[in-house]
Amino acid sequence: MGQRGDLWSEIIKSEEEDSFGDIPKIEAVYQRRNRPEKSSTAADLNRSCSVKGARTNLINGPKRDSWARSLSTRGRESIAVRAYVNNQPQKKPARRKKPAIPKGKVVKAPDFQEEKEYFRDVDAFELLEESPSPNKSSTWTMGEQVVSEMPHLSTRLEKWLISKKFNRASGPSSTLSKIFENSATRLEPICDDEASESLALKTPEKSSASNTSVFRLIPSCDNSLAAEDVPVIKIKTEAIDLEDELKQLSLTSDLISTHLDFDKSFLDLLSACGQIKPSNFLEAFSKFCEPESIVKIGEGTYGEAFLTGPSVCKIVPIDGDFTVNGEVQKRADELLEEVILSWTLNQLRDSETEAQNSCPAFIKTHDIKVCQGPYDPILVKAWEEWDAEHSSENDHPDFPEKQCYVMFVLEHGGKDLESFVLLNFDEARSLLVQVTAGLAVAEVAFEFEHRDLHWGNILLSRNNSSTLPFILEGKQVSIKTFGIQISIIDFTLSRINTGEKILFLDLSSDPYLFKGPKGDKQSETYRKMKAVTDDYWEGSFARTNVLWLIYLVDILLTKKSFERSSKNERELRSLKKRMEKYESAKEAVSDPFFSDMLMDQIS
């Protein structure tokens, strides 16, 4: 066998000399690398391949590319490069048999907990050459990466929380399963002005017990630099309360899980209402009144109105897959426009001297909330009490758990024009001038058109104020009230230009709106609007405001009873005829009918 091995070696040697001269064949052999002794010669060192990536030229023959490149190590195994000539296949060593377990004796399973914890820490970082135990050092540095000091942790969840604490830019994970997929987080060092050199791998000095960790940064190719000459970088770390972090994680995960149930338009609606998730009714109502004091005061096709202390709450169900009061529920994107429009018109209530346009004619919006869940029993009770007295035309509010609503919290504007009792002609004139001036201000400020100003959408209340301030294009004017004040409500069909976006409802998608009975003033006004706009509802047509002013004059002449003379009726009919020529409320407010109602003439 020995002779056969020698013959084989000679054949190999002969072939190598014919092909490459004296160049030995290079092979990669995996083996444990021994630490070189201090007395090692230069030749011994040349055979070692450093972890820092230094190239080693082991070939002294004709020039050719060497495949010996810098090889990284994770601290447990190294790759050595040397000449190797014995290519004979080796026998596999015989597998060691496990000793037999004595009968009746239970063998305790080995406990590798300490080893597991050690290698868990090791695997979390890019370690140094000949890595020391992480328990002996407070921090690690690599290139431009600086990983701050971490306390001993028992789970990957705790490591993830600490990494998230340092990395502010990363977003929250939606599920806990993603936490365990996260690896160590890359951190950006906060450097002094002097410390701008490139960094090399080096174990930093042990940090102090304070919150400031100190890192020494060694230039990558300068091994002669003394430790005391190395620039120092300080990174502040903060203590982490794991319990608090877990609570926040739970809240964030619940929030993201909740958001997955809603589409973008609903999330936009939440944002416009200043919410991150829907509220329940009691939570929303408790900010304005004692829930037990809630009383229903009115209803409409799309919702109910409740008195909540000094305010009125209008509740509109949205996004359901069933009809309410015989109508398809409104969508979140439709209510989003009404929410933005309400906040925009609120700006007109600013009567400061520098305001160019302001008026108190539009209902004040205190708050708007998105709610979810069935009607609270307190609301159901209030609804049933109102139904017993007034015989409600709406469906009983039986809603499922996931039903959503928009709740408008509004100023209590009084009774609608349909039920309000006007006493005399002066009060009727005050109604008309306030509505006309309010529409004129909103036209100029936001190209506003109400498009649904029937007598149920004008509220009236009595007060002790004799005048109200209006500002139109910078000109201040006071309007005589004769003791009443109006508030325009319900902007569902309205059109407005906020300066960033034009909000409108495409009424062509609701053909039944224009099929009301002939001769009915409200139905005829819808049809006149359709003719004016030619079904282009996004466009600006201030004439639609004038159509609703004409409608109001008709209502005063035909539907409302108040003390008036034949002369007063002639004045109303003359006003209606002149309004047929106006193209906007701004033009109409200058009509002679209103001249003695204005303290300062608008021109």
PDB file of all heavy atoms in Angstrom, residues 143-171:
ATOM      1  N   GLY A 143     -17.252  49.030  10.427  1.00  0.00           N
ATOM      2  CA  GLY A 143     -17.361  50.021   9.365  1.00  0.00           C
ATOM      3  C   GLY A 143     -17.976  51.285   9.910  1.00  0.00           C
ATOM      4  O   GLY A 143     -17.529  51.831  10.898  1.00  0.00           O
ATOM      5  N   GLU A 144     -19.090  51.741   9.275  1.00  0.00           N
ATOM      6  CA  GLU A 144     -19.775  52.937   9.745  1.00  0.00           C
ATOM      7  C   GLU A 144     -20.979  52.590  10.594  1.00  0.00           C
ATOM      8  O   GLU A 144     -21.791  53.420  10.899  1.00  0.00           O
ATOM      9  CB  GLU A 144     -20.224  53.777   8.545  1.00  0.00           C
ATOM     10  CG  GLU A 144     -19.059  54.321   7.763  1.00  0.00           C
ATOM     11  CD  GLU A 144     -19.535  55.194   6.640  1.00  0.00           C
ATOM     12  OE1 GLU A 144     -20.759  55.292   6.468  1.00  0.00           O
ATOM     13  OE2 GLU A 144     -18.702  55.779   5.963  1.00  0.00           O
ATOM     14  N   GLN A 145     -21.097  51.291  10.957  1.00  0.00           N
ATOM     15  CA  GLN A 145     -22.234  50.876  11.768  1.00  0.00           C
ATOM     16  C   GLN A 145     -21.840  50.882  13.228  1.00  0.00           C
ATOM     17  O   GLN A 145     -20.794  50.400  13.609  1.00  0.00           O
ATOM     18  CB  GLN A 145     -22.668  49.481  11.348  1.00  0.00           C
ATOM     19  CG  GLN A 145     -23.807  48.944  12.188  1.00  0.00           C
ATOM     20  CD  GLN A 145     -24.240  47.584  11.698  1.00  0.00           C
ATOM     21  OE1 GLN A 145     -23.763  47.143  10.678  1.00  0.00           O
ATOM     22  NE2 GLN A 145     -25.118  46.931  12.418  1.00  0.00           N
ATOM     23  N   VAL A 146     -22.686  51.428  14.061  1.00  0.00           N
ATOM     24  CA  VAL A 146     -22.446  51.440  15.500  1.00  0.00           C
ATOM     25  C   VAL A 146     -23.677  50.872  16.171  1.00  0.00           C
ATOM     26  O   VAL A 146     -24.769  51.385  15.991  1.00  0.00           O
ATOM     27  CB  VAL A 146     -22.165  52.865  16.021  1.00  0.00           C
ATOM     28  CG1 VAL A 146     -21.959  52.825  17.524  1.00  0.00           C
ATOM     29  CG2 VAL A 146     -20.950  53.434  15.325  1.00  0.00           C
ATOM     30  N   VAL A 147     -23.494  49.786  16.904  1.00  0.00           N
ATOM     31  CA  VAL A 147     -24.605  49.173  17.611  1.00  0.00           C
ATOM     32  C   VAL A 147     -24.436  49.477  19.078  1.00  0.00           C
ATOM     33  O   VAL A 147     -23.427  49.139  19.671  1.00  0.00           O
ATOM     34  CB  VAL A 147     -24.633  47.651  17.375  1.00  0.00           C
ATOM     35  CG1 VAL A 147     -25.821  47.039  18.091  1.00  0.00           C
ATOM     36  CG2 VAL A 147     -24.704  47.373  15.886  1.00  0.00           C
ATOM     37  N   SER A 148     -25.420  50.141  19.658  1.00  0.00           N
ATOM     38  CA  SER A 148     -25.278  50.607  21.018  1.00  0.00           C
ATOM     39  C   SER A 148     -25.404  49.464  22.010  1.00  0.00           C
ATOM     40  O   SER A 148     -25.822  48.362  21.676  1.00  0.00           O
ATOM     41  CB  SER A 148     -26.324  51.672  21.303  1.00  0.00           C
ATOM     42  OG  SER A 148     -26.112  52.234  22.540  1.00  0.00           O
ATOM     43  N   GLU A 149     -25.070  49.756  23.230  1.00  0.00           N
ATOM     44  CA  GLU A 149     -25.053  48.759  24.286  1.00  0.00           C
ATOM     45  C   GLU A 149     -26.432  48.169  24.498  1.00  0.00           C
ATOM     46  O   GLU A 149     -27.430  48.857  24.537  1.00  0.00           O
ATOM     47  CB  GLU A 149     -24.585  49.419  25.582  1.00  0.00           C
ATOM     48  CG  GLU A 149     -24.607  48.466  26.761  1.00  0.00           C
ATOM     49  CD  GLU A 149     -24.097  49.131  28.024  1.00  0.00           C
ATOM     50  OE1 GLU A 149     -23.757  50.318  27.948  1.00  0.00           O
ATOM     51  OE2 GLU A 149     -24.024  48.466  29.048  1.00  0.00           O
ATOM     52  N   MET A 150     -26.454  46.851  24.609  1.00  0.00           N
ATOM     53  CA  MET A 150     -27.705  46.172  24.860  1.00  0.00           C
ATOM     54  C   MET A 150     -27.588  45.376  26.151  1.00  0.00           C
ATOM     55  O   MET A 150     -26.600  44.686  26.374  1.00  0.00           O
ATOM     56  CB  MET A 150     -28.046  45.202  23.732  1.00  0.00           C
ATOM     57  CG  MET A 150     -28.540  45.891  22.472  1.00  0.00           C
ATOM     58  SD  MET A 150     -29.238  44.701  21.338  1.00  0.00           S
ATOM     59  CE  MET A 150     -29.831  45.784  20.064  1.00  0.00           C
ATOM     60  N   PRO A 151     -28.586  45.439  26.992  1.00  0.00           N
ATOM     61  CA  PRO A 151     -28.567  44.613  28.189  1.00  0.00           C
ATOM     62  C   PRO A 151     -28.831  43.168  27.845  1.00  0.00           C
ATOM     63  O   PRO A 151     -29.210  42.843  26.725  1.00  0.00           O
ATOM     64  CB  PRO A 151     -29.722  45.202  29.019  1.00  0.00           C
ATOM     65  CG  PRO A 151     -30.645  45.766  28.012  1.00  0.00           C
ATOM     66  CD  PRO A 151     -29.768  46.272  26.896  1.00  0.00           C
ATOM     67  N   HIS A 152     -28.646  42.288  28.806  1.00  0.00           N
ATOM     68  CA  HIS A 152     -28.917  40.888  28.582  1.00  0.00           C
ATOM     69  C   HIS A 152     -30.407  40.704  28.326  1.00  0.00           C
ATOM     70  O   HIS A 152     -31.241  41.188  29.063  1.00  0.00           O
ATOM     71  CB  HIS A 152     -28.496  40.074  29.811  1.00  0.00           C
ATOM     72  CG  HIS A 152     -28.859  38.615  29.682  1.00  0.00           C
ATOM     73  ND1 HIS A 152     -28.186  37.779  28.837  1.00  0.00           N
ATOM     74  CD2 HIS A 152     -29.832  37.894  30.284  1.00  0.00           C
ATOM     75  CE1 HIS A 152     -28.724  36.560  28.933  1.00  0.00           C
ATOM     76  NE2 HIS A 152     -29.719  36.604  29.803  1.00  0.00           N
ATOM     77  N   LEU A 153     -30.765  40.004  27.253  1.00  0.00           N
ATOM     78  CA  LEU A 153     -32.158  39.817  26.885  1.00  0.00           C
ATOM     79  C   LEU A 153     -32.455  38.334  26.797  1.00  0.00           C
ATOM     80  O   LEU A 153     -31.609  37.548  26.380  1.00  0.00           O
ATOM     81  CB  LEU A 153     -32.460  40.476  25.533  1.00  0.00           C
ATOM     82  CG  LEU A 153     -32.174  41.974  25.484  1.00  0.00           C
ATOM     83  CD1 LEU A 153     -32.369  42.479  24.072  1.00  0.00           C
ATOM     84  CD2 LEU A 153     -33.087  42.711  26.432  1.00  0.00           C
ATOM     85  N   SER A 154     -33.677  37.995  27.114  1.00  0.00           N
ATOM     86  CA  SER A 154     -34.033  36.589  27.120  1.00  0.00           C
ATOM     87  C   SER A 154     -34.815  36.158  25.894  1.00  0.00           C
ATOM     88  O   SER A 154     -34.960  34.982  25.658  1.00  0.00           O
ATOM     89  CB  SER A 154     -34.872  36.270  28.360  1.00  0.00           C
ATOM     90  OG  SER A 154     -36.041  37.076  28.370  1.00  0.00           O
ATOM     91  N   THR A 155     -35.331  37.105  25.131  1.00  0.00           N
ATOM     92  CA  THR A 155     -36.139  36.735  23.975  1.00  0.00           C
ATOM     93  C   THR A 155     -35.829  37.641  22.805  1.00  0.00           C
ATOM     94  O   THR A 155     -35.321  38.746  22.951  1.00  0.00           O
ATOM     95  CB  THR A 155     -37.649  36.865  24.278  1.00  0.00           C
ATOM     96  OG1 THR A 155     -37.947  38.229  24.494  1.00  0.00           O
ATOM     97  CG2 THR A 155     -38.039  36.054  25.500  1.00  0.00           C
ATOM     98  N   ARG A 156     -36.210  37.185  21.567  1.00  0.00           N
ATOM     99  CA  ARG A 156     -36.038  38.001  20.373  1.00  0.00           C
ATOM    100  C   ARG A 156     -36.979  39.198  20.407  1.00  0.00           C
ATOM    101  O   ARG A 156     -36.698  40.239  19.830  1.00  0.00           O
ATOM    102  CB  ARG A 156     -36.349  37.163  19.119  1.00  0.00           C
ATOM    103  CG  ARG A 156     -35.268  36.178  18.761  1.00  0.00           C
ATOM    104  CD  ARG A 156     -34.001  36.871  18.292  1.00  0.00           C
ATOM    105  NE  ARG A 156     -34.212  37.646  17.090  1.00  0.00           N
ATOM    106  CZ  ARG A 156     -34.134  37.147  15.866  1.00  0.00           C
ATOM    107  NH1 ARG A 156     -33.861  35.883  15.683  1.00  0.00           N
ATOM    108  NH2 ARG A 156     -34.328  37.915  14.825  1.00  0.00           N
ATOM    109  N   LEU A 157     -38.111  39.061  21.079  1.00  0.00           N
ATOM    110  CA  LEU A 157     -39.050  40.178  21.183  1.00  0.00           C
ATOM    111  C   LEU A 157     -38.421  41.354  21.884  1.00  0.00           C
ATOM    112  O   LEU A 157     -38.554  42.507  21.456  1.00  0.00           O
ATOM    113  CB  LEU A 157     -40.300  39.736  21.943  1.00  0.00           C
ATOM    114  CG  LEU A 157     -41.327  40.842  22.241  1.00  0.00           C
ATOM    115  CD1 LEU A 157     -41.803  41.481  20.946  1.00  0.00           C
ATOM    116  CD2 LEU A 157     -42.497  40.265  23.023  1.00  0.00           C
ATOM    117  N   GLU A 158     -37.683  41.115  22.972  1.00  0.00           N
ATOM    118  CA  GLU A 158     -37.034  42.203  23.687  1.00  0.00           C
ATOM    119  C   GLU A 158     -35.977  42.867  22.812  1.00  0.00           C
ATOM    120  O   GLU A 158     -35.826  44.080  22.793  1.00  0.00           O
ATOM    121  CB  GLU A 158     -36.412  41.672  24.976  1.00  0.00           C
ATOM    122  CG  GLU A 158     -37.462  41.205  25.981  1.00  0.00           C
ATOM    123  CD  GLU A 158     -36.841  40.567  27.197  1.00  0.00           C
ATOM    124  OE1 GLU A 158     -35.642  40.222  27.113  1.00  0.00           O
ATOM    125  OE2 GLU A 158     -37.532  40.425  28.215  1.00  0.00           O
ATOM    126  N   LYS A 159     -35.230  42.059  22.054  1.00  0.00           N
ATOM    127  CA  LYS A 159     -34.223  42.637  21.153  1.00  0.00           C
ATOM    128  C   LYS A 159     -34.891  43.528  20.105  1.00  0.00           C
ATOM    129  O   LYS A 159     -34.409  44.596  19.774  1.00  0.00           O
ATOM    130  CB  LYS A 159     -33.449  41.518  20.448  1.00  0.00           C
ATOM    131  CG  LYS A 159     -32.476  40.803  21.356  1.00  0.00           C
ATOM    132  CD  LYS A 159     -31.676  39.805  20.540  1.00  0.00           C
ATOM    133  CE  LYS A 159     -30.688  39.065  21.430  1.00  0.00           C
ATOM    134  NZ  LYS A 159     -29.870  38.134  20.657  1.00  0.00           N
ATOM    135  N   TRP A 160     -36.014  43.034  19.586  1.00  0.00           N
ATOM    136  CA  TRP A 160     -36.704  43.838  18.569  1.00  0.00           C
ATOM    137  C   TRP A 160     -37.164  45.162  19.130  1.00  0.00           C
ATOM    138  O   TRP A 160     -37.069  46.199  18.487  1.00  0.00           O
ATOM    139  CB  TRP A 160     -37.887  43.046  18.045  1.00  0.00           C
ATOM    140  CG  TRP A 160     -38.661  43.783  16.995  1.00  0.00           C
ATOM    141  CD1 TRP A 160     -38.394  43.861  15.673  1.00  0.00           C
ATOM    142  CD2 TRP A 160     -39.825  44.575  17.209  1.00  0.00           C
ATOM    143  NE1 TRP A 160     -39.318  44.646  15.050  1.00  0.00           N
ATOM    144  CE2 TRP A 160     -40.202  45.093  15.949  1.00  0.00           C
ATOM    145  CE3 TRP A 160     -40.587  44.915  18.325  1.00  0.00           C
ATOM    146  CZ2 TRP A 160     -41.294  45.910  15.795  1.00  0.00           C
ATOM    147  CZ3 TRP A 160     -41.681  45.725  18.155  1.00  0.00           C
ATOM    148  CH2 TRP A 160     -42.026  46.211  16.904  1.00  0.00           C
ATOM    149  N   LEU A 161     -37.700  45.164  20.339  1.00  0.00           N
ATOM    150  CA  LEU A 161     -38.165  46.402  20.948  1.00  0.00           C
ATOM    151  C   LEU A 161     -37.036  47.397  21.124  1.00  0.00           C
ATOM    152  O   LEU A 161     -37.206  48.598  20.898  1.00  0.00           O
ATOM    153  CB  LEU A 161     -38.819  46.107  22.304  1.00  0.00           C
ATOM    154  CG  LEU A 161     -40.194  45.420  22.223  1.00  0.00           C
ATOM    155  CD1 LEU A 161     -40.632  44.983  23.597  1.00  0.00           C
ATOM    156  CD2 LEU A 161     -41.213  46.352  21.613  1.00  0.00           C
ATOM    157  N   ILE A 162     -35.871  46.919  21.529  1.00  0.00           N
ATOM    158  CA  ILE A 162     -34.733  47.826  21.692  1.00  0.00           C
ATOM    159  C   ILE A 162     -34.297  48.376  20.340  1.00  0.00           C
ATOM    160  O   ILE A 162     -34.017  49.564  20.179  1.00  0.00           O
ATOM    161  CB  ILE A 162     -33.579  47.110  22.405  1.00  0.00           C
ATOM    162  CG1 ILE A 162     -33.976  46.858  23.860  1.00  0.00           C
ATOM    163  CG2 ILE A 162     -32.306  47.939  22.356  1.00  0.00           C
ATOM    164  CD1 ILE A 162     -32.947  46.145  24.673  1.00  0.00           C
ATOM    165  N   SER A 163     -34.261  47.498  19.329  1.00  0.00           N
ATOM    166  CA  SER A 163     -33.895  47.971  17.992  1.00  0.00           C
ATOM    167  C   SER A 163     -34.874  49.018  17.501  1.00  0.00           C
ATOM    168  O   SER A 163     -34.490  50.030  16.924  1.00  0.00           O
ATOM    169  CB  SER A 163     -33.860  46.791  17.010  1.00  0.00           C
ATOM    170  OG  SER A 163     -32.881  45.874  17.390  1.00  0.00           O
ATOM    171  N   LYS A 164     -36.186  48.800  17.730  1.00  0.00           N
ATOM    172  CA  LYS A 164     -37.178  49.773  17.307  1.00  0.00           C
ATOM    173  C   LYS A 164     -37.019  51.085  18.051  1.00  0.00           C
ATOM    174  O   LYS A 164     -37.287  52.148  17.514  1.00  0.00           O
ATOM    175  CB  LYS A 164     -38.591  49.227  17.561  1.00  0.00           C
ATOM    176  CG  LYS A 164     -38.919  48.000  16.757  1.00  0.00           C
ATOM    177  CD  LYS A 164     -38.911  48.261  15.285  1.00  0.00           C
ATOM    178  CE  LYS A 164     -40.075  49.095  14.872  1.00  0.00           C
ATOM    179  NZ  LYS A 164     -40.100  49.348  13.421  1.00  0.00           N
ATOM    180  N   LYS A 165     -36.561  51.024  19.301  1.00  0.00           N
ATOM    181  CA  LYS A 165     -36.376  52.245  20.083  1.00  0.00           C
ATOM    182  C   LYS A 165     -35.292  53.114  19.468  1.00  0.00           C
ATOM    183  O   LYS A 165     -35.379  54.335  19.444  1.00  0.00           O
ATOM    184  CB  LYS A 165     -35.999  51.870  21.514  1.00  0.00           C
ATOM    185  CG  LYS A 165     -36.078  53.031  22.484  1.00  0.00           C
ATOM    186  CD  LYS A 165     -37.521  53.397  22.771  1.00  0.00           C
ATOM    187  CE  LYS A 165     -37.620  54.486  23.813  1.00  0.00           C
ATOM    188  NZ  LYS A 165     -39.006  54.851  24.068  1.00  0.00           N
ATOM    189  N   PHE A 166     -34.234  52.455  18.952  1.00  0.00           N
ATOM    190  CA  PHE A 166     -33.145  53.221  18.349  1.00  0.00           C
ATOM    191  C   PHE A 166     -33.489  53.681  16.947  1.00  0.00           C
ATOM    192  O   PHE A 166     -33.095  54.750  16.516  1.00  0.00           O
ATOM    193  CB  PHE A 166     -31.882  52.364  18.294  1.00  0.00           C
ATOM    194  CG  PHE A 166     -31.293  52.115  19.661  1.00  0.00           C
ATOM    195  CD1 PHE A 166     -30.789  50.877  19.998  1.00  0.00           C
ATOM    196  CD2 PHE A 166     -31.262  53.133  20.600  1.00  0.00           C
ATOM    197  CE1 PHE A 166     -30.254  50.662  21.246  1.00  0.00           C
ATOM    198  CE2 PHE A 166     -30.728  52.918  21.847  1.00  0.00           C
ATOM    199  CZ  PHE A 166     -30.223  51.674  22.170  1.00  0.00           C
ATOM    200  N   ASN A 167     -34.224  52.864  16.197  1.00  0.00           N
ATOM    201  CA  ASN A 167     -34.492  53.186  14.797  1.00  0.00           C
ATOM    202  C   ASN A 167     -35.845  53.857  14.674  1.00  0.00           C
ATOM    203  O   ASN A 167     -36.862  53.218  14.510  1.00  0.00           O
ATOM    204  CB  ASN A 167     -34.461  51.897  13.968  1.00  0.00           C
ATOM    205  CG  ASN A 167     -34.543  52.186  12.491  1.00  0.00           C
ATOM    206  OD1 ASN A 167     -34.508  53.348  12.094  1.00  0.00           O
ATOM    207  ND2 ASN A 167     -34.642  51.146  11.693  1.00  0.00           N
ATOM    208  N   ARG A 168     -35.869  55.200  14.777  1.00  0.00           N
ATOM    209  CA  ARG A 168     -37.133  55.951  14.774  1.00  0.00           C
ATOM    210  C   ARG A 168     -37.815  55.902  13.422  1.00  0.00           C
ATOM    211  O   ARG A 168     -39.006  56.116  13.319  1.00  0.00           O
ATOM    212  CB  ARG A 168     -36.871  57.409  15.139  1.00  0.00           C
ATOM    213  CG  ARG A 168     -36.140  57.564  16.451  1.00  0.00           C
ATOM    214  CD  ARG A 168     -37.002  57.215  17.612  1.00  0.00           C
ATOM    215  NE  ARG A 168     -36.324  57.425  18.870  1.00  0.00           N
ATOM    216  CZ  ARG A 168     -36.823  57.085  20.031  1.00  0.00           C
ATOM    217  NH1 ARG A 168     -37.992  56.482  20.101  1.00  0.00           N
ATOM    218  NH2 ARG A 168     -36.167  57.315  21.141  1.00  0.00           N
ATOM    219  N   ALA A 169     -37.052  55.684  12.339  1.00  0.00           N
ATOM    220  CA  ALA A 169     -37.621  55.826  11.002  1.00  0.00           C
ATOM    221  C   ALA A 169     -38.460  54.629  10.602  1.00  0.00           C
ATOM    222  O   ALA A 169     -39.264  54.715   9.698  1.00  0.00           O
ATOM    223  CB  ALA A 169     -36.494  56.011   9.970  1.00  0.00           C
ATOM    224  N   SER A 170     -38.282  53.490  11.247  1.00  0.00           N
ATOM    225  CA  SER A 170     -39.000  52.309  10.806  1.00  0.00           C
ATOM    226  C   SER A 170     -40.404  52.310  11.365  1.00  0.00           C
ATOM    227  O   SER A 170     -40.645  52.734  12.473  1.00  0.00           O
ATOM    228  CB  SER A 170     -38.252  51.045  11.247  1.00  0.00           C
ATOM    229  OG  SER A 170     -38.136  51.037  12.641  1.00  0.00           O
ATOM    230  N   GLY A 171     -41.330  51.801  10.571  1.00  0.00           N
ATOM    231  CA  GLY A 171     -42.716  51.788  10.989  1.00  0.00           C
ATOM    232  C   GLY A 171     -43.036  50.595  11.849  1.00  0.00           C
ATOM    233  O   GLY A 171     -42.248  49.673  11.986  1.00  0.00           O
TER     234      GLY A 171
END
